[in-house]
Amino acid sequence: MSDNAISFLDGLLAPPPRIARTGLHGRATRSLAGQPERLLLEASTLRQALAAMAALATASEVEAPSRLGAARDILIRHALRTHQMVTVPATVVGDALVPAFRVGQFLCGRGLYDTIQIDSQSVPWTSIPYAEARRVSHECGLALLTERQALAIAQDILRQPVNWTGGAVGVGRLYQGLHQGVVSRPQAATYLPRHQIERRWHVLSNGDVIFDMAGNAYSWIFDDVQGDARGVVARKFLPNSPTTARSEEWPHDIGAGDGPLPGTDYRGEALIRGGHAGSGAIAGIFHLRTHAIERGEYEIGFRVTAPVEMEAAGA
């Protein structure tokens, strides 16, 4: 692919001057008016435009293989501007303040050239080992969700009446996402569950909506509580660890999920949170298990974060 073609495609994917957010899912509507004609005439959606770009890059693979890397870089730059992410307010977890951060509104999907894609239409990217999920996240300018961040999200969700089946905190059960085995594989956010208890979205204290914190697919978690430099569990779970702290506010029978007890030794494994489509009653926003870091499973995906500053930079 020539330098002119790269410039053309980079221009094609430049952010439009106006972005209007509408609807519960926070979907963005974008005008493509004024963009170069040919690819846009052939592409009725932005996703089709990206596919057209991939086809063009693939066609030049033999004559200019180095340009595939350039095309991937363009996709990453574009994706960082268009990922659907929400803001989690600053929250105290254990004895430490977790600063406000941005997090994927949805589990990560698999985009072109193994890039991350975060939108309601993407099926979660699963069957990816822990280290690979970390690597991909870093290469795409993002970071794997940490243990303290996951707990901050769960604590915020717990305190919002709208996230309880009874409409008030502590009344009924917390919504548990896809967990009853109705589907056998993780689903894109556009899939609507049959049963109310499998409602997939939760509302944060700032009004932002996040999907699949419970059920559908587990998320790999970088352990910044018990973990080593890789985020892998490095010691036994301690009684005063926020990972194992249990409050009367969220026992297992309210749909919050369960986890290991203090003293449990999962050294050498990585944390996974949330549950999957067939987890049953144990799925929940606090549900925690561990898994071998070298193995990917169809029910384990991942979620990414970014500093709040990236919101202003991408606006």
Side-chain angles (χ1 to χ4, degrees):
M1 188 185 301
S2 68
D3 290 334
N4 287 339
I6 291 292
S7 297
F8 167 75
L9 292 171
D10 208 5
L12 170 65
L13 297 176
R18 297 179 58 196
I19 297 179
R21 293 194 174 276
T22 59
L24 176 64
H25 295 186
R27 293 191 182 95
T29 57
R30 295 174 171 80
S31 171
L32 297 178
Q35 298 291 348
E37 293 81 6
R38 183 171 61 82
L39 285 181
L40 292 180
L41 286 174
E42 297 173 358
S44 60
T45 68
L46 184 57
R47 292 168 68 87
Q48 290 177 13
L50 295 176
M53 190 191 86
L56 183 57
T58 302
S60 65
E61 183 172 5
V62 175
E63 63 185 48
S66 65
R67 289 305 175 190
L68 292 177
R72 187 176 187 274
D73 290 342
I74 292 171
L75 285 170
I76 292 172
R77 291 201 301 274
H78 170 70
L80 286 172
R81 296 190 291 258
T82 59
H83 284 322
Q84 293 184 22
M85 303 185 77
V86 297
T87 299
V88 179
T91 307
V92 175
V93 173
D95 58 356
L97 177 69
V98 178
F101 60 96
R102 300 280 286 168
V103 65
Q105 186 177 30
F106 310 99
L107 293 167
C108 291
R110 189 173 193 170
L112 299 169
Y113 304 137
D114 286 344
T115 57
I116 287 172
Q117 189 162 307
I118 307 173
D119 60 37
S120 63
Q121 298 175 330
S122 295
V123 175
W125 184 351
T126 61
S127 299
I128 179 171
Y130 171 78
E132 184 72 2
R134 277 195 68 205
R135 181 189 66 78
V136 169
S137 300
H138 177 75
E139 287 184 356
C140 291
L142 298 160
L144 205 61
L145 181 68
T146 72
E147 171 67 342
R148 289 186 183 275
Q149 288 173 331
L151 288 169
I153 297 171
Q155 289 180 17
D156 193 287
I157 288 172
L158 179 78
R159 298 171 184 144
Q160 312 314 312
V162 70
N163 297 323
W164 293 78
T165 59
V169 175
V171 179
R173 297 171 64 86
L174 285 160
Y175 289 103
Q176 294 175 266
L178 299 179
H179 67 284
Q180 296 185 325
V182 175
V183 294
S184 60
R185 293 278 175 173
Q187 302 292 311
T190 51
Y191 174 83
L192 299 177
R194 302 176 189 175
H195 306 295
Q196 184 187 30
I197 192 61
E198 288 198 298
R199 196 189 78 181
R200 303 176 59 184
W201 51 270
H202 294 97
V203 182
L204 301 176
S205 57
N206 58 8
D208 282 352
V209 177
I210 189 167
F211 281 72
D212 294 334
M213 284 300 297
N216 195 33
Y218 280 107
S219 293
W220 287 116
I221 301 293
F222 182 99
D223 188 355
D224 58 348
V225 178
Q226 297 84 203
D228 58 20
R230 302 170 298 161
V232 174
V233 180
R235 63 171 183 264
K236 293 181 181 180
F237 295 135
L238 301 177
N240 62 348
S241 166
T243 297
T244 57
R246 293 290 181 266
S247 167
E248 292 182 359
E249 292 181 284
W250 51 278
H252 175 207
D253 60 3
I254 63 169
D258 68 348
L261 297 172
T264 303
D265 190 351
Y266 285 132
R267 281 177 286 189
E269 297 192 341
L271 304 180
I272 55 175
R273 279 197 173 272
H276 62 87
S279 285
I282 63 173
I285 56 175
F286 287 100
H287 178 55
L288 175 67
R289 289 289 184 269
T290 61
H291 194 72
I293 61 174
E294 68 275 5
R295 291 196 353 249
E297 302 288 351
Y298 78 90
E299 71 269 23
I300 304 176
F302 62 109
R303 193 183 298 266
V304 289
T305 67
V308 170
E309 291 74 17
M310 283 191 66
E311 180 179 17

